[in-house]
Structure formats: C-alpha cells, structure tokens
C-alpha cells in the first residue's frame, strides 16, 4: 500500500452514503485501504471505527462478533477500493489454497458490484453480457466440484436490494443446484451461470418507481413487471453468443409448474429444466433478500414456502433436491 493511496482514503468524500460489509470479510485482511465505520443504532449515522491503513488485529473480527456487531460500513465512493483489495487478498498465491470457496465468492461478489451496477444501467446490453460471461466463469471455477454447501454460501452472501446482490446469489445457488441435479455437462456450468446472471436483464426496461415501490403493486404495475422475461429474451435472442438453453432461463424463469406463470403459461416439462431449476433459487433469494416493501424471510421460512409450493409453483424434484442441500450444514 502506497502512502498516496493511504492519504487518499483519509480524505473521504463527506457524503453520508455507506455500504455494509459483513464483519467476517475482515478476517483475511491485515489492513484496510479505506476507513471502516460502525452503526451503533439503527438509522443513525455510522461512526468511525478504524482509520485506513492501520493494522487489523488477528482477533478483531471475533471481538466485533462477540459484541454483537455483524456489519462494518465503508463509504459508497470507497466501496470498490475496499472490495478490490479484499479480492486481491483472498485470491493471492499465499491465501488461495486456505480460503474456502464461500469466502472467495463473497469477496468476488463485492468486487464485481460496481461493474455490474454500471453495466446494468447502459442502453447497450453488450457490456452487461460481457460481465456476465466473465463472472459466470469465475463463479463456476469457485463452486463446481468443491463441495460447497448452500447454507455456507447463504451465510456469507449479501441480502440487500441491489442488482449485483440478487444476480450473483441466484447464479451461485443455481450452479450448486444444477451440479447436484446433474443438469449440466462440463463447460455448460459456465453457460448456466452466465444465463442466471442475465435472467433479470429485462428489468432494465422497467421504471425504477415500480421496481422500488415500497408498497404492493397495483394490477397495471404488476402487468408491467411481468413483461421483463419477454423484454429480456427479445434483447438477447439475436446475439450469437447466447445458446437456446440460456435464452430459456431468461424467458421462462417465471413460468410455473402448474401452468399459472408468465409470460406464456407453460407447465411441467414444457418448461426448460434450467428455467425450472432457476425458478426455485430465484424465489429463495428474493424471499430472503431485503425489499422496499417487506422484511426478509429467514432461510427456514423461505424453504417452508418453497416446499409447500412443490408441484404448483415449482418442480417437485428440484424442490426436494434444494431442500436437502439447504438442510446440510
């Protein structure tokens, strides 16, 4: 760490916007390149806890957790710098073999945040597809054949209302469930991960006032939301780098096993297996994530709903498999 970088981190923008970081993410760091803050009361302004470039003691994470602190905060304009440093640390030659895949996933999720959020806002979908391609390869390398437990991934994954959070969670859960079900062959895991990252690309056409509405949608708003699979499919279907099964994830992930989904109302085996699989993990992550209009469900409550909806909303075989995987710890 250069003196210049340390000096820059100390002259932070006085904006009051912060991003939360799981305390566990500090475990591998010997120092942070940015200031860290703690929020003592819900709704209050975070206060400075750690000055950038100072040492992070080995037991600092444990002390925070023991005192009930689950998150530290960094300023939003410094978030990418922190995340990049974290990913460089856990992916270094000295750490790579000792860092569990779930921790590497959490670091990658943070490091890709800015790039994903930026690409998702562009009119041209090309950069978003390119990000999905790279991230899909990275996730597959981390997760396939590494005996990763979904419950461990859930513990370290973010659950906030941000684009990068939902798509990286869904893609990772999807890869793990597809591996257990045997849905993919070899390099197909990368294709599935890429498609899962792109599954909600059609929401780029939905007004933010609807996506972020802190109340129940009215019928007209619901109809607009339900156009996103069709819009996403139409945007991607002419690309030569998108295979049929990838397009079916985008187009069919809101179809239901009983035929009451959208946009077409397909049922059972009419729905592509990749889309039937993604429907399970998509709803699981949506239920356990923070949304403007409700509190997040616990993993247990989300699984209870999904299990009760087997045979109606979801493919029963895929629900049984995901439930079995989530039960392991």
């Amino acid at each position: 760490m250069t003196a210049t970088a340390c000096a820059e981190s100390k002259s932070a923008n006085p904006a009051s916007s912060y991003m939360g970081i799981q305390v566990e993410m500090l475990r591998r760091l010997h120092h942070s390149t940015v200031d860290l803050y703690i929020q003592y009361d819900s709704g209050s302004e975070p206060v400075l806890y750690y000055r950038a470039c100072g040492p992070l003691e080995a037991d600092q994470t444990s002390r925070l957790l023991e005192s009930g602190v689950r998150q530290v905060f960094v300023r939003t304009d410094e978030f990418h710098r922190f995340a990049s440093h974290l990913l460089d640390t856990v992916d270094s030659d000295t750490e790579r073999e000792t860092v569990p895949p779930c921790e590497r996933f959490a670091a990658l999720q943070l490091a890709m945040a800015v790039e994903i959020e930026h690409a998702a806002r562009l009119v041209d979908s090309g950069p978003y597809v390119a990000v999905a391609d790279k991230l899909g390869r990275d996730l597959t390398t981390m997760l396939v054949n590494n005996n990763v437990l979904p419950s461990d991934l859930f513990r370290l994954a973010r659950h906030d209302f941000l684009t990068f959070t939902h798509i990286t969670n869904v893609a990772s859960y999807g890869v793990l469930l597809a591996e257990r079900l045997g849905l993919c062959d070899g390099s197909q895991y990368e294709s599935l991960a890429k498609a899962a990252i792109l599954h909600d690309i059609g929401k780029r056409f939905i007004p933010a006032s609807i996506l972020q509405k802190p109340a129940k949608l009215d019928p007209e708003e619901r109809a607009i939301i339900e156009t996103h699979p069709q819009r996403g499919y139409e945007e991607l279907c002419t690309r030569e780098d998108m295979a049929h099964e990838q397009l079916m994830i985008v187009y069919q992930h809101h179809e239901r096993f009983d035929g009451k989904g959208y946009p077409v109302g397909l049922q059972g085996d009419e729905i592509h297996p990749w889309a039937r699989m993604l429907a399970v993990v998509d709803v699981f992550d949506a239920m356990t994530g923070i949304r403007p209009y409700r509190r997040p469900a616990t993993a247990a409550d989300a699984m209870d709903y999904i299990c009760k909806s087997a045979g109606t909303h979801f493919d029963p075989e895929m629900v049984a498999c995901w439930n079995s995987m989530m039960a392991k710890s």
Side-chain angles (χ1 to χ4, degrees):
M1 172 56 48
T2 66
T4 301
C6 289
E8 287 175 354
S9 67
K10 292 177 183 179
S11 58
N13 189 317
S16 59
S17 180
Y18 298 84
M19 292 281 283
I21 307 290
Q22 302 98 315
V23 166
E24 287 94 334
M25 293 291 92
L26 304 180
R27 196 182 306 277
R28 303 285 171 177
L29 297 178
H30 301 295
H31 71 276
S32 169
T33 56
V34 305
D35 295 340
L36 304 179
Y37 299 79
I38 289 180
Q39 186 180 43
Y40 287 103
D41 298 301
S42 178
S44 65
E45 188 87 353
V47 299
L48 184 65
Y49 165 72
Y50 163 91
R51 182 65 72 182
C53 300
L56 279 170
E57 300 173 11
D59 63 345
Q60 205 147 346
T61 301
S62 299
R63 294 205 310 269
L64 286 169
L65 292 172
E66 287 169 3
S67 63
V69 176
R70 295 291 177 267
Q71 285 194 105
V72 294
F73 293 84
V74 302
R75 291 185 181 276
T76 301
D77 59 345
E78 297 183 327
F79 179 78
H80 184 62
R81 187 190 303 169
F82 173 87
S84 297
H85 174 61
L86 175 64
L87 183 60
D88 287 344
T89 300
V90 301
D91 214 30
S92 65
D93 292 338
T94 55
E95 293 282 352
R96 188 178 296 120
E97 298 302 319
T98 63
V99 178
C102 291
E103 285 190 40
R104 293 177 63 204
F105 159 76
L108 178 65
Q109 184 180 52
L110 293 179
M112 293 297 294
V114 173
E115 193 171 351
I116 291 171
E117 294 287 337
H118 173 70
R121 289 171 171 79
L122 298 177
V123 174
D124 178 12
S125 64
Y128 196 179
V129 175
V131 169
D133 190 57
K134 177 183 182 303
L135 183 56
R137 290 195 301 272
D138 290 343
L139 290 176
T140 300
T141 300
M142 284 183 186
L143 301 175
V144 173
N145 297 322
N146 283 322
N147 298 314
V148 177
L149 294 177
S151 56
D152 288 341
L153 202 65
F154 178 82
R155 181 175 59 83
L156 288 178
R158 296 178 67 87
H159 303 289
D160 49 37
F161 186 61
L162 293 167
T163 299
F164 81 90
T165 296
H166 180 59
I167 64 175
T168 48
N169 286 352
V170 169
S172 301
Y173 296 148
V175 167
L176 295 181
L177 180 53
E179 183 180 26
R180 177 63 65 89
L181 288 165
L183 288 184
C184 294
D185 238 345
S187 63
Q188 281 190 318
Y189 287 109
E190 294 181 7
S191 296
L192 184 144
K194 174 182 176 180
I197 292 163
L198 295 170
H199 79 279
D200 272 343
I201 193 172
K203 285 186 176 178
R204 300 189 316 133
F205 302 100
I206 309 299
S209 59
I210 295 178
L211 290 174
Q212 299 173 12
K213 184 178 179 180
K216 186 177 179 179
L217 299 178
D218 62 35
E220 183 179 347
E221 292 167 331
R222 172 53 59 185
I224 292 173
I225 281 281
E226 291 183 2
T227 65
H228 80 268
Q230 176 82 29
R231 299 291 295 273
Y233 172 79
E234 289 173 352
E235 184 170 25
L236 297 175
C237 68
T238 58
R239 296 186 62 94
E240 295 182 356
D241 56 353
M242 294 295 296
H244 171 73
E245 57 267 23
Q246 293 175 305
L247 293 172
M248 290 305 96
I249 277 186
V250 176
Y251 188 51
Q252 297 180 346
H253 67 277
H254 281 294
E255 297 288 1
R256 290 172 47 119
F257 200 71
D258 61 6
K260 296 180 180 179
Y262 62 88
V264 178
L266 301 174
Q267 62 181 338
D269 291 343
E270 294 175 341
I271 308 166
H272 193 280
W274 285 19
R276 276 182 274 144
M277 178 279 301
L278 199 84
V280 176
V281 295
D282 185 33
V283 169
F284 175 81
D285 187 69
M287 290 186 68
T288 55
I290 296 170
R291 294 294 183 270
Y293 47 86
R294 58 154 175 79
R295 297 174 63 86
T298 65
D301 286 344
M303 285 310 312
D304 183 60
Y305 169 81
I306 289 170
C307 288
K308 288 178 179 177
S309 301
T312 53
H313 192 155
F314 307 110
D315 183 318
E317 178 187 358
M318 296 182 180
V319 168
C321 189
W322 183 241
N323 187 47
S324 173
M325 293 174 71
M326 282 299 298
K328 294 182 179 180
S329 58

